[in-house]
Amino acid sequence: MENQDIIIQQDLNSVEGILSSVLTDSIYETSINEMCLRVVKSGGKRMRPMLTLMAWRALGGKGDIKSIHNFAAATELLHTATLVHDDVIDKATVRRGKETLNETDGNHAAVLAGDYLFTRCFFCIHDINNQRIASMLNNTLASLVSGEIKQLHTQGDLNISIADYEHTIYCKTGALFELATAGAGILSGESDEVISTLQEYGKQLGIAFQVADDILDYTSSSQTLGKNIGEDLEDGRITLPLILALQNCSADDRKLLEEAIRNVNLDSVLNFINKTDSIQKSKDFALAAVEKAKKALARLPQSQYRENLEALALKAATRNN
């Protein structure tokens, strides 16, 4: 176990080196580089690069390690770019316990910084020179945008179905996890069957991760989570805890809950969420996704890395930050 941890940490150190180098190697973009580095170095979990590295090692570590490290770095740059743009859209002031770029530098600069992070992601992908990876990246970007548009269209919709919600969170979160894991299979030269297995794992992990995130918006604290609590309610995002509360309360209570949602009355909304046991139901939903992720992994050879991927899925669904 210790040996595997050391190997993954060495891989991550290489990825960190790439993240720094692609944001410092041009004297012409000094100001934008500084802003982007501030976000990249602000304490992210590096979960997407970790998934790529663990999946690649679980497959036997075949292929060019430099390409794997570049790809892992690209997934983090893509993720960070979407966060910067999300903060602008959501008018968020805090991310990972620190002020967002739109708060410190303004919306215009933050949008440009997000755009620049996308170009750095493409730079890493270009160095890999793999058409299938490039195509999958394009599809992931399309899913990310489509998820944001879908969320915008369903903003404040108190009749949103669980199926619609699940599709939205797949597009917003699961698609990028899917890219991170399936990309390792592509760069390892694996069969379509193995790549599909990794895609399914990434998809289900992403769903579990996002459901956990939506739970935390109603159960955590700003200090623990590193961003403002209750943002989903304030922004009109109807996530799983609210969907389940709306579906499982009486007709009279539903009217009161709908009024509380429209008035952004967090205390009253929390009362109905607790009354309908919607937090536990949401946790069960996330754990069901974890089981699907683990079932997909069962098709891979037994190894410590596979076990680590299983553990990572469970941690994603049960995290507290």
Side-chain angles (χ1 to χ4, degrees), residues 225-250:
L225 199 55
K227 62 180 182 179
N228 297 328
I229 300 303
E231 280 187 358
D232 288 344
L233 180 64
E234 188 173 342
D235 294 336
R237 286 191 289 269
I238 312 301
T239 58
L240 190 60
L242 262 189
I243 294 171
L244 291 171
L246 286 162
Q247 289 183 353
N248 290 289
C249 62
S250 67

Side-chain angles (χ1 to χ4, degrees), residues 39-237:
V39 182
V40 168
K41 301 293 185 181
S42 66
K45 300 178 182 70
R46 301 291 188 259
M47 191 168 178
R48 290 142 196 90
M50 180 80 77
L51 283 170
T52 295
L53 297 168
M54 281 189 181
W56 183 65
R57 293 289 180 184
L59 295 171
K62 297 173 289 185
D64 178 29
I65 192 170
K66 184 178 179 182
S67 292
I68 284 292
H69 290 166
N70 273 327
F71 177 71
T75 65
E76 185 67 15
L77 289 165
L78 176 56
H79 170 58
T80 307
T82 63
L83 291 185
V84 171
H85 282 173
D86 283 352
D87 287 339
V88 174
I89 293 168
D90 298 338
K91 300 181 179 64
T93 58
V94 179
R95 167 79 68 176
R96 296 169 179 167
K98 298 178 182 178
E99 288 183 307
T100 57
L101 282 185
N102 47 295
E103 181 72 7
T104 58
D105 297 78
N107 284 346
H108 193 168
V111 169
L112 292 175
D115 291 345
Y116 187 70
L117 283 164
F118 281 121
T119 72
R120 298 293 83 191
C121 167
F122 300 146
F123 179 83
C124 289
I125 293 295
H126 178 267
D127 280 359
I128 296 170
N129 192 28
N130 184 298
Q131 186 57 45
R132 191 168 182 183
I133 287 288
S135 177
M136 185 171 282
L137 175 67
N138 287 337
N139 290 337
T140 301
L141 274 169
S143 291
L144 290 168
V145 173
S146 131
E148 287 296 331
I149 292 172
K150 177 75 171 176
Q151 183 171 271
L152 186 62
H153 285 168
T154 58
Q155 186 172 329
D157 181 2
L158 303 186
N159 294 308
I160 182 174
S161 68
I162 291 177
D164 281 341
Y165 165 79
E166 188 170 13
H167 177 68
T168 298
I169 64 173
Y170 160 69
C171 290
K172 280 170 50 70
T173 305
L176 186 44
F177 281 109
E178 194 177 77
L179 172 70
T181 51
I186 292 171
L187 293 174
S188 296
E190 292 290 347
S191 67
D192 288 346
E193 182 181 2
V194 171
I195 293 167
S196 294
T197 288
L198 291 169
Q199 281 183 289
E200 179 64 12
Y201 167 78
K203 172 186 176 180
Q204 297 300 333
L205 170 63
I207 289 172
F209 183 92
Q210 187 59 54
V211 171
D213 202 59
D214 294 342
I215 291 170
L216 288 171
D217 199 61
Y218 287 103
T219 60
S220 188
S221 66
S222 298
Q223 292 75 19
T224 300
L225 199 55
K227 62 180 182 179
N228 297 328
I229 300 303
E231 280 187 358
D232 288 344
L233 180 64
E234 188 173 342
D235 294 336
R237 286 191 289 269

Side-chain angles (χ1 to χ4, degrees), residues 247-261:
Q247 289 183 353
N248 290 289
C249 62
S250 67
D252 288 341
D253 277 355
R254 179 172 175 120
K255 290 178 182 177
L256 295 172
L257 175 54
E258 288 179 351
E259 183 181 353
I261 293 169

